[in-house]
Amino acid sequence: MLGSGILKGLAVTAKNFVGSYHDPKRMVTVEYPEQKTNIPENYRSFPFLVSENAEDPMGSLRCVACQICEKECPPQCIIIEKSKDKKPDAAGKMQLYPAVFNIDTSVCMSCQICVEVCPFDSIKMDQVFEVAATERFNELLLTRERLAKPNSYYHQIHPTEAAEVDGRLTAERQAAAEKAKAAAAAKAAAAAAKPVVASTQPAPAPVAAAQKSPPPAA
Amino acid sequence: MSAASGSEHFLEHAPLDLRDWLVQFLTHWLHLTGLLQWMLHNLISIVMILAVFGLFFAFTTIAERKLLGRLQNRLGPNRTGLPKFSRLFGGWHFKHKLFGLSQPFADAIKALTKEDIVPAEADKLLHFLAPVIVVAFSLMTFAVLPFGRHFIPVEMDAALLYFFAAGSATELAIFMAGWSSRNKYSLLSAMRALAQLISYELPLILSVVPVVLVTSTLSTQNIVLAQGSWTFGVLPHWFVFTPWGCAGFLIFLVSALAESNRSPFDLPEAESELVAGHLTEYSGFKYALFFMAEYFGLTALSALGVTIFLGGWQAPCEFLQIIPSYLWFMGKLILMIVFFIWVRGTLLRLRIDQLTRLSWKFLVPLALINLVNGGFWALTTEWSGPLQIARWAISIVVIVVPFLLMGRKLSTGFAPRTYRYAP
């Protein structure tokens, strides 16, 4: 009969109306400022710089100012100035560090290319999306002080990825320490071969990680 | 019962008494003469209608948004509370959001402060006049609606004629808006709007004519009075409870939906398909005026439907007459509006050919048959006893059989749709 479809439709919406008051499962709305949904792990907004030490973020940035990200950045929103001096990095090696590291978030398109190209795992994507600012220039231009966030924060927002990165970094540092140890041992052996009374003790490893490693096979 | 009827009497008259007292007070104070006194008397009525239905409009918009939300399992607007005058009150402000009920006032301020853009090539005068006229005519229809037993702004013998004359004049304003914008899309959609409005004007008026036949009056107040009796004191004699009245009411509902440009007949201004139809070149408060006129038109048509078919201000049961008549009227009006919102949240928009086909091939013939039905009812008022049953049976058959036949013809080849490749 003409009109029966209309009545069926009216019944459906009436059910929705009544259900919306007693069945919270029907509701799709999240009342945002008060309630928040969990952000998926792979969500990304803008880049940040990883620092090893939360107490001294500027002294322990992983970034060595190699400027690869600056060159690769498609909208060119990264501005880096190398330092004049060098500082020891996490592995104790002397490295340059970024005297200036700015990201213009009004330009950044969140493409993650800087993260892909970084050989030092020093720049990662953040999940902060409440980025409203009252001023266009200084507030949207993130300096290195505002970009630096500790590794523990990285673990917090991207747990899987951060565990993988940390595993790789530890392995690399271990290999580097072993290499250094082997080199030192070889040096010591060479020194011992000379007829001079010298200690055969190898040079102390630079970092704690290296000390824990087993003695070199050579 | 006397005490109850006494209190009812007092409330029925109270607003009118207040108005008369105010007029007398001001007459004494300002030494007004006859004409000025008459003007003051009517001015108070006009201000009351504007205030009551202005607020009614404001809260219809928020109710519509909230109801539509609920019909679609959303919450609807619930953010707008009172403004935070923290600086004025030493850091204190009212924290409750008031369920978002102050939303219409925020919308009004937004519309008022927006820039009013007039196209360079537009006919400036008509472009300005169109929203003014559309609001004026849709407000004029309120003059003849009986809101209560003693509440009728203008008591007129040809009230129905006046109502439809004023109501159809808004169509002129819509075409004015489309033409004066100097925009071909505005003009085209104004023509479409006009085609729709003219198509549905006919069934709208034809659905009302049987009531005129039966009551033999064009006065809205007398039509309401004709519905003022009860069988056993509980079954009201509203026209919607007669076969011809029920059919007329349904035709009236569909035509009223189309006349007030509401979903599923909102083709002239189909938000999700067109820019804004004839309102394309309007912005700011002029746009808000069109919006307002649309709601005023809807309210007026709902009020007319209540007056003609749903017993107007009459109580549904005799003992419920303790509640003042104007409250019954407003309650019925709100129910009608809620029903229109419910329909809007349910049905899909029609195509223009479906729209006109529904009117010319279905509603108009059905309304004409219903006219005959109403005439039959008017001629058989003396039938009683078993003849009364025959009267009802004949009246039902006369309207239901054409409905079924025409409905079948209207929907052949359209439903149900079968899908060949999709499961």
Side-chain angles (χ1 to χ4, degrees), chain B residues 240-263:
Chain B
V240 72
F241 298 125
T242 57
W244 57 271
C246 187
F249 182 59
L250 291 178
I251 297 168
F252 182 87
L253 271 184
V254 176
S255 321
L257 272 177
E259 275 296 300
S260 48
N261 283 348
R262 282 186 65 84
S263 178

Side-chain angles (χ1 to χ4, degrees), chain A residues 1-2 6 9-11 13-14 16-17 19-21 26-29 31-34, chain B residues 67 70-75 78-79 339 342-343 345-347 362 403-404 407 410-411:
Chain A
M1 194 182 80
L2 187 76
I6 292 174
L10 287 174
T13 42
N16 276 353
F17 175 75
S20 72
Y21 280 99
R26 282 171 171 273
M27 305 303 272
V28 289
T29 318
E31 294 199 71
Y32 160 61
E34 291 95 32
Chain B
L67 253 166
R70 288 285 173 181
L71 293 174
Q72 299 162 356
N73 289 328
R74 292 183 287 109
L75 285 166
N78 61 356
R79 292 280 139 184
F339 177 75
W342 185 13
V343 168
T346 304
L347 298 182
F362 185 71
F403 171 79
L404 290 177
L410 194 73
S411 48

